[in-house]
Amino acid sequence: GPLDREAYGRTIRSLEAGGRTHLLEAVAYAHDKLRQEGGSERINVIIAMTDGQHNGQMTLQELENTLRASELPVLIFTVGYGDDADMDLLQRIARLGEGQAYASDLETIGKLYELVSKFF
């Protein structure tokens, strides 16, 4: 359907860091939503932005198995905020989706936006 940029902007601006990041589960959930709603004829992208460490139950191997079990191609980009962001894990997640990991700053976010917007 039509993209409501203002609604997305309000939602993003209302987000607050609260710890207990279930990063791998969030990526698996986003992938599942794309699998349900997307298609191989579309460009499917996940951008995972996090302020910390993964604190969920899912392992990286379980996430990899979930992604590999689906034939839907999905690019995954990760963005780490703050000094405690686990950039090693973010790089490993991004590689699962043939994407890239970034440490956050305004310039990097701008470049990532430009890169992703080229697909649409």
Side-chain angles (χ1 to χ4, degrees):
L3 177 65
D4 185 346
R5 292 180 190 275
E6 183 57 36
Y8 281 118
R10 283 191 305 273
T11 299
I12 290 169
R13 286 187 296 276
S14 73
L15 296 176
E16 295 182 24
R20 302 298 307 157
T21 304
H22 291 213
L23 177 59
L24 300 179
E25 288 87 347
V27 172
Y29 176 82
H31 184 273
D32 187 54
K33 293 301 270 182
L34 286 172
R35 186 184 54 74
Q36 290 174 21
E37 298 176 11
S40 58
E41 69 281 351
R42 295 173 50 175
I43 297 170
N44 297 290
V45 177
I46 296 171
I47 301 175
M49 301 174 130
T50 181
D51 64 342
Q53 309 284 323
H54 169 63
N55 301 114
Q57 299 298 312
M58 181 177 265
T59 67
L60 188 62
Q61 184 62 55
E62 290 171 323
L63 176 61
E64 182 175 3
N65 293 343
T66 297
L67 299 177
R68 300 288 179 244
S70 170
E71 294 186 19
L72 180 68
V74 176
L75 290 170
I76 301 174
F77 295 94
T78 58
V79 180
Y81 284 91
D83 295 334
D84 64 341
D86 186 343
M87 292 306 297
D88 179 58
L89 177 61
L90 295 179
Q91 289 171 350
R92 293 170 72 190
I93 293 168
R95 278 193 295 254
L96 290 175
E98 299 183 18
Q100 295 180 7
Y102 299 92
S104 69
D105 59 44
L106 289 177
E107 182 179 340
T108 299
I109 299 300
K111 287 179 183 178
L112 180 59
Y113 175 77
E114 286 179 34
L115 175 66
V116 172
S117 66
K118 289 179 183 178
F119 292 112
F120 303 98

